[in-house]
Amino acid sequence: MKLYCLSGHPTLPCNVLKFKSTTIMLDCGLDTTSVLNFLPLPLVHSSRLSKLPGWVSKDGTVNLEKRELLDLSTIDVILISNYHCMMALPYITEHTGFTGTVYATEPTLQIGRLLMEELVNFMERVPKAQSATCWKNKEIQRMLPGPLKDAVDVWTWKRSYSMQEVNSALSKVQLVGYSQKVELFGAVQISPLSSGYSLGSSNWIIQSHHEKVSYVSGSSLLTTHPQPMDQSSLKNSDVLILTGLTQMPTANPDGMLGEFCSNLAMTIRAGGNVLVPCYSSGVIYDLLECLYQFIESASLGTTPFYFISPVANSSLEFSQIFAEWLCHNKQTKVYLPEPPFPHAELIQTNKLKHYPSIHGDFSSEFRQPCVVFTGHPSLRFGDVVHFMELWGKSSLNTIIFTEPDFSYLDALAPYQPLAMKCVYCPIDTRLNFHQVSKLLKEVQPLHVVCPEQYTQPPLTQAHRSDLMLELQPPPMPYRRCSVLNLPFRRRYERVYILPELANSLVPSEIKPGISVATVSAVLHSKDNKHTLQSVPKPPPVPPSKKRKRVIEEPPVVLAPKPLLSGAVPLEAFLATLQKHGITEVKVEETADGHILHLQAEDTLIQLEEDGTHIVCDNNEPLRTTLRDLVLRFLQKL
Amino acid sequence: MPEIKVTPLGAGQDVGRSCILVSIGGKNIMLDCGMHMGYNDDRRFPDFSYITQNGRLTDFLDCLIISHFHLDHCGALPYMSEMVGYDGPIYMTHPTKAICPILLEDFRKITVDKKGETNFFTSQMIKDCMKKVIPLNLHQTVQVDDELEIKAYYAGHVLGAAMVHIKVGSESVVYTGDYNMTPDRHLGAAWIDKCRPDILISESTYATTIRDSKRCRERDFLKKVHESIERGGKVLIPVFALGRAQELCILLETFWERMNLKAPIYFSTGLTEKANHYYKLFITWTNQKIRKTFVQRNMFEFKHIKAFDRSYADNPGPMVVFATPGMLHAGQSLQIFKKWAGNEKNMVIMPGYCVQGTIGHKILNGQRKLEMEGRATLDVKLQVEYMSFSAHADAKGIMQLIRMAEPRNMVLVHGEAVKMEFLKGKIEQEFSIDCYMPANGETVTVTTNPSVPVDISLNLLKREMALGGPLPDPKKPHDQILKLVSSEQALKELGLNEHQLRFTCRVQLQDPHSDPDTLHRIYTHLKSVLKGYTIQHLPDGTVMVESIVIKVSSSAEDPNTKVLLLSWSYQDEDLGSFLSTLLKKGLPSGLC
């Protein structure tokens, strides 16, 4: 069993597991941090940006975390754990010869589609006047100014995919429900478990009858909107692959949420605007829910909240229809029947308005001061770029970062100098090191595999030994492009004995509690399922009239001879021989036992601890007599 | 031999009061717990005393599964769990869990408040009963206990309807509940994978109907409504809040849009928003088309259908009103009916079953003079129409499901005996499987023949697979789990030493050839005699027949007398003995 690690990003994993002749890709996250090397894509012409000298590029590019470590066309299935970890899917399923199936839950598919649609929309609505690619050449890249000069593997940066590729990729998705058992080629069974991180997010169990691998990715124990994490099903794993821990181990999500609210209120009261760069699904639901409770008490009732994204409406609508995938509280609301998320009420009371983009209705209905939720969190594309240009110069305004995926300083770099206030409240609900060590103690996997980042404290906090995984035995670390041999020894496989054969078995008790039966059967292997059937009886030989020498028909093997065990004791054997009229026996001692020379019969019997050898002339009656005498002393199975 | 037993307590050769007991692999499962609309006495509920005379059902049942929210499938639930006594798990899908208590409460109100029955379950009992419910997701494998697992499949029929696959070890049963194999206006078609259950328990309401009659009924319905509107009449459709009402609303809504009709459609208060809300929130359970477009246009947000106010009933001109309750026994629907009954231009369409004693039941039976409270009588002049809109699989659909699931046996329930008989014949003929149609209280017993799962050592398996031949004699030590290992390993694990018993036989042979030639002649001879055996002529001067070794040496005295040494182990005793006898007779002269 092998694990190919195609991504070094611990929260955007992409691993390939080879297990019992199946090749399973676990997630395909898309690391988009490389966009920070690019200038923002403005929605309206920006004289400032276009006047910047030198290396202007509008190449909307993303870094695909994979490399030709193995042939992607050999992948049988791709398991998706949450919608953030599927963004590279079109790169893998399209144009690589991929012919397999992708498994994901319904919310993961639907919201994943929205996020991809949004990404494509962001890229395509600002077509670039010119596109440069020569800089990807190593020679030219060396001459570029830093940090571009130092960026690694720029040749793996790819252009954004198209909507057509997204649709084609998503058409390969097969929907699964939590705890659904899916058989792969009869060899392996996979099953998604609730991971508590986002709508439809899952961990995966990959198991056969005797081996179990758990894949833990983006899990949360906090009570936010999704169904709680299923921990107990992870028990008894041989190997647990651990990815997607919190990127902000020192930031408490609840504290951050409080800070978010107070900063927001402070800015609004001072007459400023608040900009929240965020993804269109996920934490935004919690932010809106938190604000729903907060705005009355903070007397923000009249402040308009805007959510601007090509998929804003879809995201808000979809969140309300996945009752099965929500936490218990929200499910109970659906039974009433009420929408599970309070943003429905915010929309109904006109407190929250959503628009596909800043163009159109928004420009006429827009009132300040206001709060705007919009993407993309990298500040490089999407409507957020416009608001940065619009509000960046006033110190009354505030930008509040809530997504942990991008360094906020890097994100802000192209907008400097900036007068607006910056608040950094990263909210990452994924497991922290304390929670994960408790979890691992609970589920007790034999081996843990994790990204190497988790085996040492973060670089900036080298003294914090509590910010790493400490396990016994130590976890097996992986980095990008490593290939791990998982410590597994497959020893048993499941076969089915058909009832007819099972009935014919005669177990005999060898020791108390242990019975043994010999089985002779025909092994049928089909679709990786093995069955044992009775040996078919040979068709009766038609009486042949031509050949009269019936004696020469070779014997038909009916039942195989029993297996012998034990030893033949010399004295007792000699006594038995005597009883049967064999008296002239010369006994000779050898290193391993005795040789009996039956002088009258000119026969040698070699008696040893683990064997008896009878050497005689062709005297069938004598031989059979001796055989039966020896057999008397041996145990037959 | 293991057996699976199926006993209907209700719905055996009957429609209504669905309640089926299944015993499988030592587990007892109850499927549905419905009431019978046709009875007002004890026969209304299943006879739970069949399970136990005294004592709580919890001790006898491992779980209860409800297929959908119709009262003939869940109406006896609070009675069973709270009054008879059952605390075990109750499974149903999320929409069923949401909607079922509302219908139960409706049912309770009619029976207790209207008919004045006592000794009936209370609102609190409904609530307590629903607390025992564990929601099921589609395709989720739910482990009821270590051995019993259940899995729900989409069944169409009504929002949240499910078929359920019940499995213990390698034995399994599928219960369909009510299902529909063709997508309708708001729901998709039932689907199941090739799970090859030992028994498929299927409803058979439309066992003899072959064509898809639903479309025709829909056309019929629209035609009648349209005609009535055209001539300026008012149409009353008494409905229950959930289920059929939404389907008919979609039907009318799209018809109104297509025909550009202007007559108002009203939905009586109290149920509009709320009921439609369930459909909006459980949109993932509706059909593909509705699901795909719900963000742009939610099918359950009706443009033409507005909330009703009691004053509208006197408005002039045509209109269509949906009003509760569905049997015209009380409330708004009855009030409107009284107002409109006198005009022959008007029409009432009863889209569902009516209980005896209700006005709905009376007018459907053609009664034209109704006695009202006091001494007043009401002349019924308006048109009365009955139209069943329940979505069930027809005979073709049932056959299609059998083809999908490939069961080994079939049990028909939820249908009329005569129709079942017809379908039973058809199934037995087409699929050559046994088909049963037990009456209530009658038990069907099916013997299963499960294979025995054992663990085989991987080395042995690989060796045998590479060999491609029959297994020799692997061992199977019985130690709680069954294991198949090679004989060598078995002896080792048992702490026994293997004893090799070998024989070597000298055979003298007259053959005037050189030793190698003699050996080759033996090889050729054996080749011709022993067909189907592995015979090898090895370069080290031996011939191997299977694992029997034959060597040749010349006698010291006479070079023409060859001494053959045959050596075999006890495992090859038969063949060895045969060979020594064979070779003793010498080689035929014709050999080269």
Side-chain angles (χ1 to χ4, degrees):
Chain A
M1 181 183 298
K2 275 189 174 168
L3 188 72
Y4 296 77
C5 310
L6 306 191
S7 163
H9 196 301
T11 34
L12 295 168
C14 182
N15 295 314
V16 174
L17 179 70
K18 288 207 173 184
F19 180 26
K20 273 187 77 176
S21 73
T22 53
T23 307
I24 302 169
M25 179 178 270
L26 307 167
D27 280 333
C28 45
L30 187 66
D31 183 357
T32 50
T33 46
S34 60
V35 297
L36 293 175
N37 292 306
F38 294 84
L39 280 175
L41 289 172
L43 288 176
V44 285
H45 181 75
S46 154
S47 54
R48 188 181 68 87
L49 286 178
S50 53
K51 274 187 206 144
L52 285 178
W55 301 92
V56 180
S57 165
K58 290 179 175 177
D59 208 355
T61 312
V62 282
N63 185 8
L64 178 62
E65 282 291 337
K66 73 173 182 65
R67 198 186 249 193
E68 302 305 322
L69 204 57
L70 82 169
D71 181 1
L72 290 179
S73 68
T74 62
I75 289 172
D76 299 312
V77 294
I78 303 179
L79 309 183
I80 305 292
S81 53
N82 61 66
Y83 44 78
H84 287 300
C85 290
M86 67 186 289
M87 297 298 281
L89 198 60
Y91 291 122
I92 291 164
T93 60
E94 308 306 298
H95 320 300
T96 60
F98 173 82
T99 55
T101 313
V102 182
Y103 289 96
T105 61
E106 185 165 11
T108 300
L109 169 69
Q110 301 297 2
I111 296 173
R113 181 193 297 278
L114 294 182
L115 294 183
M116 289 183 181
E117 220 175 281
E118 183 186 46
L119 185 68
V120 172
N121 193 302
F122 280 161
M123 292 298 166
E124 287 182 352
R125 73 185 179 189
V126 276
K128 357 179 215 95
Q130 70 214 58
S131 124
T133 46
C134 287
W135 56 271
K136 285 191 191 177
N137 184 312
K138 269 211 169 79
E139 292 306 306
I140 298 175
Q141 194 204 345
R142 258 200 318 190
M143 301 188 296
L144 296 179
L148 204 51
K149 181 169 68 171
D150 310 314
V152 284
D153 296 336
V154 288
W155 55 270
T156 65
W157 296 6
K158 297 212 175 182
R159 292 212 43 175
S160 167
Y161 36 72
S162 69
M163 208 50 221
Q164 196 188 355
E165 287 168 311
V166 170
N167 287 331
S168 168
L170 295 183
S171 70
K172 297 173 173 100
V173 174
Q174 174 94 43
L175 294 181
V176 284
Y178 286 149
S179 309
Q180 180 176 350
K181 293 175 180 168
V182 181
E183 289 270 329
L184 300 183
F185 317 108
V188 190
Q189 193 184 60
I190 55 165
S191 185
L193 306 174
S194 175
S195 78
Y197 168 59
S198 61
L199 270 176
S201 70
S202 31
N203 294 322
W204 291 85
I205 300 287
I206 302 131
Q207 63 184 343
S208 66
H209 283 292
H210 299 96
E211 298 86 17
K212 178 170 174 179
V213 178
S214 299
Y215 172 56
V216 174
S217 165
S219 302
S220 177
L221 291 171
L222 298 180
T223 30
T224 56
H225 56 274
Q227 208 180 93
M229 177 179 180
D230 178 355
Q231 301 179 55
S232 58
S233 304
L234 295 171
K235 278 183 184 164
N236 304 321
S237 305
D238 294 290
V239 171
L240 186 142
I241 303 168
L242 180 70
T243 65
L245 300 184
T246 177
Q247 301 184 74
M248 295 294 145
T250 50
N252 170 15
D254 279 331
M256 289 294 129
L257 208 53
E259 224 170 285
F260 169 82
C261 288
S262 63
N263 277 295
L264 185 140
M266 222 148 58
T267 308
I268 296 292
R269 277 195 209 108
N273 299 294
V274 177
L275 179 61
V276 187
C278 62
Y279 292 116
S280 303
S281 178
V283 176
I284 185 169
Y285 303 140
D286 298 316
L287 292 180
L288 290 174
E289 182 154 8
C290 178
L291 287 173
Y292 169 79
Q293 291 153 1
F294 180 71
I295 45 181
E296 288 311 320
S297 62
S299 55
L300 295 174
T302 54
T303 314
F305 289 78
Y306 300 115
F307 177 19
I308 301 167
S309 156
V311 298
N313 185 22
S314 301
S315 167
L316 293 172
E317 288 286 337
F318 269 110
S319 67
Q320 307 284 20
I321 65 159
F322 291 125
E324 284 99 322
W325 310 87
L326 293 173
C327 63
H328 185 256
N329 271 344
K330 297 224 176 301
Q331 276 181 3
T332 327
K333 288 187 91 178
V334 174
Y335 293 154
L336 289 179
E338 275 170 26
F341 286 96
H343 54 239
E345 199 185 318
L346 288 176
I347 295 170
Q348 220 165 31
T349 53
N350 265 332
K351 286 184 179 124
L352 174 67
K353 291 185 176 181
H354 53 80
Y355 300 91
S357 86
I358 53 166
H359 300 297
D361 291 346
F362 176 72
S363 45
S364 53
E365 294 171 17
F366 162 63
R367 276 192 298 122
Q368 299 194 63
C370 63
V371 182
V372 169
F373 296 89
T374 187
H376 184 272
S378 66
L379 306 190
R380 290 303 179 274
F381 48 86
D383 299 275
V384 72
V385 176
H386 178 73
F387 288 98
M388 286 306 292
E389 297 286 321
L390 189 69
W391 291 342
K393 288 163 207 79
S394 164
S395 60
L396 280 177
N397 302 328
T398 307
I399 177 167
I400 310 181
F401 291 88
T402 55
E403 301 289 353
D405 285 357
F406 299 91
S407 148
Y408 79 105
L409 291 173
D410 288 346
L412 288 173
Y415 300 98
Q416 299 293 359
L418 202 63
M420 98 197 283
K421 279 199 292 290
C422 299
V423 179
Y424 187 50
C425 311
I427 297 172
D428 195 331
T429 57
R430 285 173 278 216
L431 295 175
N432 61 34
F433 287 98
H434 175 69
Q435 291 165 327
V436 84
S437 56
K438 214 175 131 201
L439 171 76
L440 291 175
K441 235 176 245 161
E442 195 83 3
V443 303
Q444 295 210 316
L446 287 183
H447 303 276
V448 173
V449 176
C450 69
E452 62 174 356
Q453 288 92 328
Y454 296 160
T455 59
Q456 62 223 17
L459 283 176
T460 49
Q461 286 152 305
H463 61 288
R464 292 287 297 268
S465 62
D466 58 325
L467 300 184
M468 60 179 277
L469 274 182
E470 273 184 296
L471 298 171
Q472 250 350 292
M476 299 172 65
Y478 73 79
R479 59 173 66 174
R480 187 164 179 223
C481 295
S482 35
V483 178
L484 300 186
N485 270 312
L486 297 184
F488 242 94
R489 269 206 58 215
R490 291 185 49 221
R491 293 179 55 213
Y492 287 101
E493 181 60 88
R494 181 58 59 90
V495 298
Y496 293 90
I497 299 185
L498 289 189
E500 187 197 343
L501 175 65
N503 276 339
S504 71
L505 298 181
V506 189
S508 54
E509 194 166 42
I510 294 293
K511 293 175 181 174
I514 297 179
S515 296
V516 176
T518 57
V519 179
S520 58
V522 177
L523 177 69
H524 276 256
S525 290
K526 188 186 169 194
D527 299 340
N528 283 317
K529 294 270 181 251
H530 315 290
T531 50
L532 290 179
Q533 300 180 349
S534 307
V535 181
K537 297 218 168 62
V541 184
S544 69
K545 284 163 193 164
K546 266 196 288 180
R547 291 168 64 190
K548 280 156 200 157
R549 290 178 299 169
V550 183
I551 185 79
E552 285 198 1
E553 285 299 324
V556 176
V557 183
L558 288 170
K561 296 289 171 197
L563 200 67
L564 305 175
S565 89
V568 181
L570 178 68
E571 293 308 320
F573 186 61
L574 285 176
T576 320
L577 282 180
Q578 205 145 24
K579 253 193 237 163
H580 283 76
I582 302 166
T583 45
E584 277 181 73
V585 181
K586 202 177 116 195
V587 181
E588 191 181 315
E589 207 156 318
T590 64
D592 304 315
H594 300 88
I595 292 177
L596 279 61
H597 191 191
L598 282 56
Q599 283 164 324
E601 292 81 8
D602 192 19
T603 292
L604 286 175
I605 302 174
Q606 208 174 333
L607 286 183
E608 283 171 14
E609 189 67 23
D610 58 353
T612 302
H613 194 168
I614 300 173
V615 183
C616 65
D617 270 335
N618 196 357
N619 179 348
E620 201 51 17
L622 171 69
R623 193 185 63 81
T624 46
T625 314
L626 290 176
R627 177 192 71 195
D628 294 339
L629 293 181
V630 170
L631 287 179
R632 279 190 196 179
F633 293 95
L634 297 174
Q635 204 176 2
K636 295 166 206 71
L637 297 178
Chain B
M1 278 292 174
E3 288 173 343
I4 305 178
K5 288 184 177 164
V6 178
T7 315
L9 296 186
Q13 301 182 5
D14 186 16
V15 177
R17 202 178 68 178
S18 280
C19 184
I20 295 138
L21 288 178
V22 172
S23 294
I24 173 172
K27 307 282 169 187
N28 296 316
I29 297 119
M30 184 186 282
L31 301 167
D32 279 338
C33 189
M35 55 154 303
H36 205 296
M37 291 283 192
Y39 298 116
N40 278 326
D41 49 17
D42 283 351
R43 289 173 295 173
R44 174 166 58 196
F45 293 142
D47 179 14
F48 296 111
S49 65
Y50 179 93
I51 304 171
T52 168
Q53 295 289 345
N54 38 25
R56 293 173 75 76
L57 295 171
T58 318
D59 305 334
F60 297 88
L61 290 178
D62 291 281
C63 75
L64 164 59
I65 304 166
I66 302 291
S67 66
H68 64 284
F69 61 64
H70 278 159
L71 287 177
D72 60 331
H73 292 260
C74 70
L77 193 55
Y79 171 74
M80 178 219 175
S81 78
E82 305 310 309
M83 296 173 81
V84 180
Y86 171 73
D87 299 318
I90 303 170
Y91 293 95
M92 54 178 84
T93 65
H94 282 274
T96 309
K97 187 183 173 187
I99 296 168
C100 170
I102 296 172
L103 297 187
L104 285 172
E105 182 59 30
D106 256 18
F107 172 43
R108 191 198 65 79
K109 271 194 199 145
I110 295 167
T111 330
V112 178
D113 301 353
K114 206 65 208 167
K115 296 192 196 150
E117 272 190 50
T118 50
N119 193 24
F120 203 72
F121 55 78
T122 62
S123 293
Q124 189 55 43
M125 285 177 179
I126 298 175
K127 280 186 194 132
D128 291 342
C129 157
M130 293 315 289
K131 279 184 197 144
K132 297 173 185 169
V133 172
I134 303 169
L136 271 179
N137 294 333
L138 284 183
H139 301 166
Q140 174 192 19
T141 311
V142 174
Q143 215 72 42
V144 176
D145 57 36
D146 285 346
E147 287 153 340
L148 172 61
E149 60 179 50
I150 56 175
K151 180 177 177 183
Y153 292 90
Y154 190 78
H157 187 60
V158 290
L159 195 75
M163 305 193 275
V164 54
H165 182 238
I166 302 147
K167 195 173 161 209
V168 179
S170 58
E171 297 170 274
S172 64
V173 169
V174 168
Y175 172 60
T176 63
D178 292 355
Y179 63 105
N180 186 12
M181 293 299 284
T182 46
D184 66 18
R185 283 195 189 265
H186 66 312
L187 298 169
W191 177 87
I192 195 163
D193 52 23
K194 208 175 278 311
C195 50
R196 299 194 176 92
D198 292 299
I199 304 178
L200 174 65
I201 306 172
S202 172
E203 64 133 329
S204 49
T205 322
Y206 293 155
T208 52
T209 322
I210 302 292
R211 74 206 156 88
D212 178 13
S213 50
K214 187 146 190 210
R215 299 262 148 181
C216 305
R217 282 196 307 262
E218 282 178 3
R219 258 201 306 277
D220 230 23
F221 170 77
L222 291 172
K223 207 174 123 208
K224 277 178 183 149
V225 172
H226 193 202
E227 279 170 6
S228 190
I229 295 293
E230 287 287 275
R231 62 170 181 257
K234 296 177 166 61
V235 182
L236 172 65
I237 308 172
V239 285
F240 281 103
L242 276 152
R244 229 150 281 155
Q246 280 68 30
E247 194 189 340
L248 295 180
C249 282
I250 294 181
L251 196 61
L252 284 187
E253 169 91 4
T254 41
F255 186 69
W256 249 237
E257 198 142 303
R258 202 174 67 228
M259 306 295 285
N260 201 18
L261 296 177
K262 292 284 178 277
I265 308 175
Y266 297 112
F267 216 119
S268 83
T269 42
L271 62 90
T272 28
E273 280 301 296
K274 197 177 168 192
N276 292 343
H277 237 99
Y278 281 114
Y279 283 81
K280 282 190 221 165
L281 293 173
F282 287 113
I283 209 115
T284 52
W285 287 80
T286 59
N287 69 29
Q288 188 112 31
K289 195 179 146 209
I290 294 182
R291 267 188 347 222
K292 257 196 147 154
T293 55
F294 91 103
V295 176
Q296 290 78 40
R297 164 113 213 268
N298 198 322
M299 282 295 264
F300 299 100
E301 269 162 24
F302 303 114
K303 271 194 244 158
H304 297 272
I305 301 170
K306 295 171 196 87
F308 183 73
D309 186 281
R310 60 173 62 195
S311 65
Y312 295 174
D314 299 322
N315 286 0
M319 65 173 85
V320 179
V321 175
F322 288 94
T324 52
M327 299 183 199
L328 283 182
H329 47 71
Q332 204 150 31
S333 63
L334 183 59
Q335 283 174 7
I336 300 171
F337 176 77
K338 281 189 209 160
K339 278 196 175 142
W340 294 358
N343 190 339
E344 61 274 9
K345 274 202 286 185
N346 297 342
M347 184 190 285
V348 61
I349 300 180
M350 309 294 298
Y353 184 85
C354 289
V355 169
Q356 222 162 16
T358 59
I359 294 191
H361 187 262
K362 285 178 191 156
I363 58 168
L364 280 181
N365 281 334
Q367 210 169 318
R368 282 310 192 176
K369 271 205 194 304
L370 297 171
E371 282 160 40
M372 298 316 244
E373 290 106 67
R375 294 225 186 91
T377 54
L378 183 68
D379 281 325
V380 180
K381 289 188 181 147
L382 87 178
Q383 281 187 62
V384 178
E385 298 286 348
Y386 174 73
M387 221 160 270
S388 165
F389 275 95
S390 44
H392 292 278
D394 58 4
K396 207 172 83 190
I398 296 171
M399 302 301 256
Q400 200 182 336
L401 188 81
I402 299 175
R403 225 164 283 132
M404 264 183 177
E406 289 190 2
R408 281 181 266 273
N409 296 279
M410 204 51 206
V411 171
L412 297 179
V413 294
H414 200 283
E416 292 160 36
V418 190
K419 292 181 180 174
M420 279 185 182
E421 199 74 59
F422 171 81
L423 185 64
K424 174 176 141 81
K426 246 185 103 166
I427 290 170
E428 285 177 338
Q429 186 195 349
E430 185 160 332
F431 299 101
S432 333
I433 55 175
D434 287 330
C435 183
Y436 307 88
M437 35 177 286
N440 287 335
E442 193 184 316
T443 301
V444 169
T445 306
V446 167
T447 309
T448 58
N449 217 354
S451 41
V452 182
V454 294
D455 295 343
I456 184 169
S457 118
L458 197 65
N459 289 337
L460 173 62
L461 181 70
K462 281 189 173 159
R463 203 169 79 194
E464 288 309 321
M465 300 234 290
L467 210 65
L471 281 171
D473 54 345
K475 293 294 163 296
K476 197 185 73 169
H478 192 139
D479 185 13
Q480 287 171 329
I481 46 154
L482 297 175
K483 273 200 292 186
L484 263 187
V485 295
S486 65
S487 47
E488 299 84 34
Q489 197 186 335
L491 287 168
K492 214 170 110 193
E493 284 187 15
L494 290 169
L496 298 173
N497 62 322
E498 188 181 356
H499 193 96
Q500 291 280 354
L501 177 56
R502 277 200 84 79
F503 302 98
T504 302
C505 231
R506 287 186 294 267
V507 179
Q508 296 212 345
L509 200 67
Q510 290 298 320
D511 197 42
H513 292 276
S514 71
D515 293 358
D517 280 356
T518 305
L519 193 68
H520 189 73
R521 283 160 56 78
I522 291 170
Y523 172 69
T524 324
H525 178 48
L526 294 180
K527 258 303 221 216
S528 70
V529 174
L530 298 170
K531 299 273 189 315
Y533 284 80
T534 321
I535 304 174
Q536 291 165 288
H537 190 167
L538 299 175
D540 64 347
T542 55
V543 164
M544 294 260 304
V545 180
E546 299 289 329
S547 64
I548 298 174
V549 184
I550 304 174
K551 279 186 181 173
V552 175
S553 61
S554 303
S555 153
E557 298 102 53
D558 177 6
N560 286 344
T561 306
K562 306 291 180 194
V563 179
L564 305 185
L565 284 177
L566 271 77
S567 187
W568 68 89
S569 72
Y570 178 59
Q571 265 62 34
D572 289 318
E573 171 68 11
D574 291 342
L575 187 61
S577 166
F578 169 77
L579 278 182
S580 65
T581 321
L582 176 74
L583 289 173
K584 199 172 160 189
K585 283 190 265 178
L587 299 173
S589 47
L591 286 171
C592 57

